[in-house]
Amino acid sequence: MEQLFNDINLTKHLVLFDIQATSSLDIIQKMSNKMLENELVTKDFKSAIIEREKNFPTGLQLEKIGVAIPHTDAKFVIKQSICIAKLKSPINFKMMGDNKSDIPVKLIFMLAIKDPDKQLSFLRSLMAAFQNTEGIENIVSASSRSEIIKEFKQILL
């Protein structure tokens, strides 16, 4: 798992800290723009991730909070990356596998994975990490971008 994570770009520039968003579409656009600004994804990444989220929603209700993991095809990725958003106030995402139920989400992990095989492995590892309730709570209560990255790495390793 450590090798998988080491191949993924995650810097302070890719953490949106205590950001306000009006909807899942709004935060997906903000996160996609951040990845595009950093030349990590193609110009078509944003529309592709929005379209995929409409058809295959990624909201998940964990034990204490909701999270979302929007992602799209590898062909829209220039450099493997992850963008994390910690929201000031929860916004609704549609529930994964449901498309009808809303999940109030506080954390979003936007994936840009270049290798489709690694995307599946990373998603599996992320789902396993989400079982670490204390680690997720530490990310939610983090007081800086650096602390979010540190706590995120700890739940993955």
Side-chain angles (χ1 to χ4, degrees):
M1 178 62 216
E2 188 171 351
Q3 179 58 41
L4 180 64
F5 182 78
N6 287 338
D7 292 341
I8 296 175
N9 187 32
L10 175 59
T11 64
K12 291 182 204 175
H13 303 294
L14 296 176
V15 177
L16 285 64
F17 182 74
D18 282 346
I19 190 164
Q20 194 70 43
T22 57
S23 66
S24 58
L25 178 61
D26 182 37
I27 194 62
I28 286 172
Q29 289 175 330
K30 288 175 179 177
M31 295 174 81
S32 298
N33 288 341
K34 182 60 74 175
M35 294 182 98
L36 188 59
E37 282 169 25
N38 285 278
E39 301 177 346
L40 302 169
V41 296
T42 69
K43 63 179 177 39
D44 297 322
F45 179 83
K46 185 190 325 184
S47 58
I49 208 163
I50 289 169
E51 191 58 33
R52 189 186 186 290
E53 190 69 27
K54 282 182 196 171
N55 297 314
F56 304 101
T58 62
L60 292 169
Q61 182 61 53
L62 304 184
E63 187 175 325
K64 296 192 177 183
I65 68 157
V67 300
I69 48 172
H71 55 280
T72 192
D73 298 330
K75 67 182 177 182
F76 302 107
V77 176
I78 296 169
K79 184 173 181 194
Q80 294 197 130
S81 311
I82 184 165
C83 183
I84 301 174
K86 177 187 161 194
L87 301 173
K88 276 188 180 179
S89 304
I91 55 170
N92 286 332
F93 270 73
K94 294 294 180 194
M95 184 166 57
M96 186 181 288
D98 182 334
N99 234 4
K100 292 182 181 99
S101 303
D102 287 328
I103 303 286
V105 166
K106 182 84 173 169
L107 289 175
I108 298 104
F109 302 88
M110 181 175 281
L111 306 180
I113 308 298
K114 193 150 184 64
D115 180 343
D117 294 332
K118 285 187 179 182
Q119 185 170 25
L120 186 57
S121 297
F122 195 81
L123 281 168
R124 282 187 186 132
S125 297
L126 202 51
M127 298 298 264
F130 287 162
Q131 303 308 307
N132 181 341
T133 303
E134 182 181 340
I136 294 295
E137 287 177 0
N138 289 343
I139 293 172
V140 171
S141 64
S143 57
S144 70
R145 288 173 173 83
S146 298
E147 193 177 339
I148 287 173
I149 292 170
K150 177 184 152 233
E151 294 297 339
F152 179 67
K153 285 181 179 180
Q154 287 198 329
I155 66 168
L156 282 177
L157 302 178

